C-alpha cells in the first residue's frame, strides 16, 4: 500500500528526519497561505501515487504566494499516469549542493531487507546502477537481529562519501532502516536526500509502501496519517468486478478468495496456493492464453466462498471457460473447492464439464475431490501434471 | 434447498430429543444442525454442502442414528 509523499514525510518527521517547511493545500487559498507562511520561494507538488510528476507538469516553482495560488489551479487538473491529484504539497524551495539516494526494500531472493545507497540521487537509480555502479552500494541486513548505525555508515562509505557528509548522513539512513522494519514496509525511499551548501541534509522527496497485510497491525499510524480503511491504494481505481471480488472475500471469514484483479481475456482463473496464483497466471500467458482475471484462493475457503467466486468470474462478460488450478495444497481441501466450483457453475446456469477447462488442485482430500469432479464429467488432473502443463491444457481448450 | 453433495439422515429418536439436538448443534463446525423452537432438531439445508465430513455429529450420537450421505458416490 503506497503512501502519498506528504504522508511519507509525516512519518519521516515523526522519526526526526530533517525536512523543509511545508504544508498541504487543498485549495488555491490554502496554497497561497502556506506559501506566505513559508516566506520565500516554494515548490508545489501534486500528490499522486505515481512517479513522472515533473514530466507531466505537476511540479511547479513559485516565488510569491499569488504565484503559488495560480500554480495550484494549474496543477490540480493534471492527471499523472492516469492518477488524479489529491492535494498539493507546498514546500520551501531548497538550494541543493548535492543529491543522494537512500532506499530500503525487500530482497526476495536473499529473504532479507537491502539498503541501496547512492551519492548520485535525484535521478533514476537503475540508470545510476548501470552507468555508474561504483556510486551505488547494496547492503543486506537482518530483519531479525538488532541493527546498528554501523550498517548504514558502511553502506554510505562504500560509495566514497567521507567526513562530515558521512557523519551527517548516517543517522538519517539508519533511521530510514528503522522505519522500514518498524512499520512492515516493502519500500522506504528518500530521493533526493539533499545536502545544502551549509552542509545540512534535507529530505526532499520520499516514497513509502507498506505491506498490505500489515494494515491491521498499524491501524493507529494509518489513522494518524488520515488513511482510511476504505483506501485500497492500488495503482488504479478498483473496477466493479474487483469490488465484487472483495465483497465475496469479506462476506465469509473462512479461507481466502480475494485479490481479484480484472483483465480482458476469455479464460477465467480460480487459482492460488503458496505463490501458485502468480505462477499459474504467468503459465497461462506463456502458453498464449488470455486471462480474464487474477485471484488468490487458499486457506481452505468454504464451499459458498468458492461458489460465489466462481459465479462472479463466470458472470464476467467475455469469459468462456474457467481454469481451476492450485499448487499442491495441504490446508485447503480439494473436495471443498470442487464442491464450490461445481455449485458455482450450476448456479450460473453452466454445465461444469463445459466451462471448467481444467481442475488441477492436488493435495488434501483429493480422493474425495476427484470423485466429485468425475461425477460431473470435469477434466481434472493430479500432481503428476505440473502447474505449467495444466495451464497449457486449459489454454489449448480455448483455441 | 437440499444439499447437492451431502445429505444428512437423522433417526427420529435423536431428532425429537432436545438434548441430542442441542448437542448436534454445538458440535457441527459448519452449522448444519439447529434447534426448532420446541427444541427438536432442525437441518439447515443451505449449509449441508459445507459439511467437512468431520464425523463429530456421528460420534456425538448413539451409533447408527446419524448418517452422512455423500451424494456424489
Amino acid at each position: 500500500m503506497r503512501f502519498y509523499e506528504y504522508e511519507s514525510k509525516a512519518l519521516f518527521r515523526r522519526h526526526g528526519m530533517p525536512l523543509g517547511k511545508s504544508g498541504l493545500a487543498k485549495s488555491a487559498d490554502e496554497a497561497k497561505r502556506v506559501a506566505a507562511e513559508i516566506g520565500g520561494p516554494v515548490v508545489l507538488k501534486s500528490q499522486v501515487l505515481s512517479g513522472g510528476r515533473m514530466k507531466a507538469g505537476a511540479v511547479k516553482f513559485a516565488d510569491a504566494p499569488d504565484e503559488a495560488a495560480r500554480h495550484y489551479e494549474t496543477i490540480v487538473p493534471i492527471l499523472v499516469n492516469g492518477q488524479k491529484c489529491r492535494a498539493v504539497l507546498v514546500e520551501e524551495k531548497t538550494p541543493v549542493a548535492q543529491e543522494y539516494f537512500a532506499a530500503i526494500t525487500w530482497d526476495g531472493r536473499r529473504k532479507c531487507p537491502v539498503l541501496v545507497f547512492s551519492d548520485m540521487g535525484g535521478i533514476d537509480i537503475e540508470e545510476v546502477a548501470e552507468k555508474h555502479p561504483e556510486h551505488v552500494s547494496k547492503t543486506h541486513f537482518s530483519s531479525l537481529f538488532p541493527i546498528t548505525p554501523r550498517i548504514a555508515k558502511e553502506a554510505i562509505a562504500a560509495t566514497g562519501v567521507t567526513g562530515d557528509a558521512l557523519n551527517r548522513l548516517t543517522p538519517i539512513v539508519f533511521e530510514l532502516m528503522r522505519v522500514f522494519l518498524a512499520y512492515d514496509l516493502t519500500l522506504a525511499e528518500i530521493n533526493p536526500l539533499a545536502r545544502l551548501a551549509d552542509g545540512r541534509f534535507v529530505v526532499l522527496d520520499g516514497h513509502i509502501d507498506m505491506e498490505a497485510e500489515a494494515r491491521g497491525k498499524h491501524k493507529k499510524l494509518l489513522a494518524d496519517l488520515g488513511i482510511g480503511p476504505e483506501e485500497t491504494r492500488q495503482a488504479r481505481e478498483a473496477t466493479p468486478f474487483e469490488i465484487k471480488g472483495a465483497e465475496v472475500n469479506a462476506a465469509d471469514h473462512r479461507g481466502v478468495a480475494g485479490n481479484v484483479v480484472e483483465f480482458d481475456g476469455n479464460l477465467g482463473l480460480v487459482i492460488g496456493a503458496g505463490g501458485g496464483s502468480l505462477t499459474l497466471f504467468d503459465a497461462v500467458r506463456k502458453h498464449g492464453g488470455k486471462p480474464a482475471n487474477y485471484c488468490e484462493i487458499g486457506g481452505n475457503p468454504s464451499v459458498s466462498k468458492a461458489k460465489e467466486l466462481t459465479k462472479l468470474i463466470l458472470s464476467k462478460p467475455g469469459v468462456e471457460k474457467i481454469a481451476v488450478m492450485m499448487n499442491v495444497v495441504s490446508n485447503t481441501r480439494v473436495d471443498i473447492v470442487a464442491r464450490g466450483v461445481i455449485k458455482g457453475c450450476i448456479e450460473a446456469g453452466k454445465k461444469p464439464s463445459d466451462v471448467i477447462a481444467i481442475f488441477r488442485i492436488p493435495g488434501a482430500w483429493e480422493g474425495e475431490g476427484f470423485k466429485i469432479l468425475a461425477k460431473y464429467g470435469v477434466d481434472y488432473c493430479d500432481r503428476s501434471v505440473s502447474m505449467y502443463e495444466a495451464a497449457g491444457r486449459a489454454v489449448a481448450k480455448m483455441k | 434447498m437440499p444439499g447437492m453433495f451431502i445429505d444428512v439422515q437423522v433417526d427420529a429418536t435423536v431428532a425429537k430429543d432436545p438434548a441430542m439436538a442441542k448437542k448436534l448443534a454445538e458440535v457441527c463446525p459448519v452449522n448444519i444442525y439447529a434447534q426448532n423452537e420446541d427444541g427438536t432438531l432442525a437441518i439447515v439445508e443451505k449449509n449441508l454442502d459445507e459439511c467437512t465430513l468431520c464425523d463429530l455429529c456421528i460420534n456425538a450420537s448413539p451409533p447408527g442414528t446419524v448418517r452422512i450421505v455423500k451424494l456424489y458416490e
Side-chain angles (χ1 to χ4, degrees), chain A residues 48-84:
Chain A
V48 288
L49 297 174
S50 169
R53 291 180 298 181
M54 184 68 90
K55 202 173 176 181
V59 175
K60 293 194 179 297
F61 298 92
D63 290 325
D66 285 338
E67 192 182 5
R70 285 198 300 278
H71 283 332
Y72 176 92
E73 299 288 8
T74 311
I75 287 172
V76 168
I78 296 173
L79 293 180
V80 182
N81 293 324
Q83 298 261 331
K84 286 181 190 168

Side-chain angles (χ1 to χ4, degrees), chain A residues 276-288:
Chain A
S277 288
L278 291 172
T279 306
L280 288 159
F281 188 91
D282 286 349
V284 166
R285 296 197 63 201
K286 185 93 173 170
H287 284 289

Side-chain angles (χ1 to χ4, degrees), chain A residues 203-230:
Chain A
V203 174
L204 291 189
D205 199 356
H207 297 286
I208 280 180
D209 270 331
M210 179 184 276
E211 168 58 53
E213 301 295 333
R215 288 183 71 139
K217 186 176 166 188
H218 300 294
K219 269 183 193 167
K220 186 175 182 313
L221 170 74
L222 298 176
D224 288 350
L225 294 175
I227 302 173
E230 75 287 355

Side-chain angles (χ1 to χ4, degrees), chain A residues 303-304 333 339 343 368 371, chain B residues 49-52 72-73:
Chain A
V303 172
S304 60
R333 291 256 305 253
R339 285 187 217 167
K343 213 167 175 178
E368 289 295 317
K371 282 184 208 168
Chain B
D49 283 334
E50 299 287 353
C51 175
T52 60
Y72 51 87
E73 285 190 327

Side-chain angles (χ1 to χ4, degrees), chain A residues 254 302-304 333 339 343 346 365 368 371-372 375-376, chain B residues 1 4-6 30 49-53 70-73:
Chain A
R254 294 170 290 184
S302 64
V303 172
S304 60
R333 291 256 305 253
R339 285 187 217 167
K343 213 167 175 178
I346 290 169
W365 291 67
E368 289 295 317
K371 282 184 208 168
I372 294 168
K375 178 174 179 180
Y376 286 89
Chain B
M1 183 183 168
M4 189 183 289
F5 305 98
I6 300 292
V30 292
D49 283 334
E50 299 287 353
C51 175
T52 60
L53 306 175
K70 298 175 190 170
L71 300 173
Y72 51 87
E73 285 190 327

